[in-house]
Structures are given as structure tokens and as C-alpha cells.
Amino acid sequence: MPATERLYYNDSHLIEFEAQVTDKTDRVSGWTAVTLDRTAFYPTGGGQPSDTGILGGVRVLECIDSEENGVLHVIQGRAPEVGATVKGRIDWPRRLDHIQQHTGQHILSQAFVTLFNAPTRGFRVLDDSCEIDVELTNPANELVERAVELANNVIWEDRGITIKSVTSEEAARLPLRKDPSRDGEVRVIEIEGFDLTPCGGTHAYRTGEVGLIAVRSWQRAKGLTRIEFLAGGRALVDYRRANQTASAVAGLFSAARDDATKLAARMLEENKELHRRVRALEEVSANAEAAELLAQTSPNPEGTRVIATIFDHRDAESLKRLALALIVHPHTIALLGSRENEAARLVFARSTDATGDMNALMSEACVALDGRGGGKTDLAQGGGKNVEKLGEAINQAAKTLSPE
Ligand SMILES: [Zn+2]
């Protein structure tokens, strides 16, 4: 079967075409793959996703490059008959997006070569951005931005982009940015006075069509520098989103957009300072609360004050802080509980001169609460979901400590 004539090779901006159906086969997916004598549909390859569109009135979901059968058009719907003449139309916004990303990649990759002698080893068009893996050994924002600057200058100079076919011998004599991946006829893409690369993809007529290149981020990856960039319409979409985010953050501070970072940094600093002050005040308040609780509690016959109290909605840290403030005082045991909607928590603690195994008491209490907990003989923490048993569990622990 003759190979499909690839119309996109000669004209990347051809949207509509007519062709004859040469074959059709059923796919495991349930769809049908149609081959044509000629096509403007670009199949997935070279880091560029395939075109979509309409063929013979039905939807083309994907195009696949099959070495022996040419371009397979995977269609959703009734397949045309072999031999029929059909009209095809590619989705232009998607093709233009791919042209911008792909041509943008040629330009950005050459910029890294021109400035830092750093070739590109990989390229991917992702859902909303693109990636290149560059042999840039010491990446830094400043270096990446210099390449972005050069790439955009080449775009704004609106240089011509031409395609020529050369033999592999001729190709070997050309200063190509990368080696051709196939033997025989080589398709070379030339960006006037800037870049010469063998490639089978779809490109802009002139660099101006790419519009803009912006780098969103970069990172070291497998010995290379992975650069996430966006070209053309994608750069505009990303700018809008970044602007909305920055403006929304600034709005929280009632500030101008570009002042937000400074204000957010200041707020975080103030927040840290407030946390320090709150911790100090909590310390003071726990001491005062402990003194008050001790004053209200009479010692048992052994001379020990057992403070058994239940609070509502008191977090574990606050409960423990109060227990520690209590057991600073001699002959003191704290049996503290806190009641939440769905859970109860406990802290049992004793001063060094008091007697009693807090760990053993806690284990017993946690059985009643249907939970878990533990610790040492002088301090133990725990909790459980049986909230209504909290009072009972604490009374039981108090009773164990002071049997009548
Ligand atoms: Zn290309």
C-alpha cells in the first residue's frame, strides 16, 4: 500500500482537504482506523500530540503514525467506505496551539545552544505547558531568563521559517542543531539566521506567530535541567491565571498587586512573633489556673491533692500544659479530661513526690473510653471515642489513688 501523502509537510496551515479512503480497520477500542491517500492530519510524534478534527462528517479522535500503513485516523462513528472521496478538516485552534508550542521549542532550544552551548535532549507538550530537558549544568534563574530573552527577541524579529528537503550527505555538511533521526531524505526546518534542525513536525510560517515564550519553572532532573515553558496562547492563559492569583492575594491585604509578597512576608513574621507571645501568655495562664485549682482542692488523708477535672473542647497541648503547671507543686496529682463531640482526651500526671502509676491508670481509663493511651509512671496521655464514660473513667482513677 502506498504511504500516505503528508500534506502538513508542505503546508502546516492547511485546514481543509479532500482525500480517498485507502483502507479501514477495527481497533480494539471499538473505534475504526481509516487510512487515506493524503492527509493534513498530523499524527502523534516528535513530542507533538496528534491533530483532531472531522473526516467524512465524523469525529477524528486521534491520529497514529504507523510505519507500514501510513497515518491512521481513529474515528468515532460510521466509517466511510474504502475508495470513497472524503472531506477532512483539522481543528485549527488545537493545531495553532501545537505550532506555537513546537516552533517555540525550536527557538528556545536554539537560544540555550547559542548562549550556553546546551543542547536539548527531550521535549514534551503537556496539557497546559511544555517541557524541554536541556544539558545546562549550572542552572540559575538569570541564565534561564537570558535564554527566554533571546528567544523572544527572535520571535519579535519575525524571522522567516522555511522547510527544505536534503539528502543525508547534504545534511551531514549542514550545521544542524541535532542529528537526523532517519536515513535518506532529510526534512530540515530553518529559522532564518538562527536555527537549522531536522524535524517532521508542524511549524509557524514566521517566528512572530509564536507570539511569546515564558518559562514557568525549572528543576534539575536526571543530570539535565528540566524547563517548563509556555508559548503563544498558553502563555496568555498562564499570565491571566498568575495575575488573578497575585491580585487575589493582594486583595486580602487591600494592597497593590506587586506589594503583596512584601506584605505576606511581614504578616508571617508578625504571626511567628504572636505565636511566641501566645505561648508565653498560655504559660502564665496555666500557672494561675493551676494555683486556683489547687486552692479549691483539699488534700486526701495521705496529704496529696488529687485534681480531677473535665473541660470542654480543650486541646491536648493545653491540657498537658495545665497538668505540668499543677505537678510543679508538691504532693499533687492531676487527672484532667477534655470532652469533644466525638472524642475524649485525658492527661494523668503526678509530682515527683506523689505516688501512683499514671501509665497503669491511663491504660485502665482508656479501656473504659474504648481508646488508647500510655506514657510513664509520672505522666501519661490518652483518649477514646466513648465520650460519655469520661467522668466515670476519671472517678475510677481517683478512687484507685485514694481508696476510702
Ligand atoms: Zn519541529
Side-chain angles (χ1 to χ4, degrees), residues 102 106 199 201 203:
H102 182 82
H106 278 244
C199 185
H203 305 89

Side-chain angles (χ1 to χ4, degrees), residues 48 102-103 105-106 189 197-203:
Q48 183 179 329
H102 182 82
T103 311
Q105 182 258 312
H106 278 244
I189 310 304
T197 300
C199 185
T202 53
H203 305 89

Side-chain angles (χ1 to χ4, degrees), residues 38 77 145 159 206 208 228 288 367:
R38 57 213 290 269
E145 284 310 320
R159 300 186 189 213
R206 306 187 65 82
E228 185 191 18
V367 171

Side-chain angles (χ1 to χ4, degrees), residues 373-387:
K376 297 179 179 167
T377 54
D378 60 344
L379 176 70
Q381 289 175 274
K385 57 186 178 195
N386 231 343
V387 183

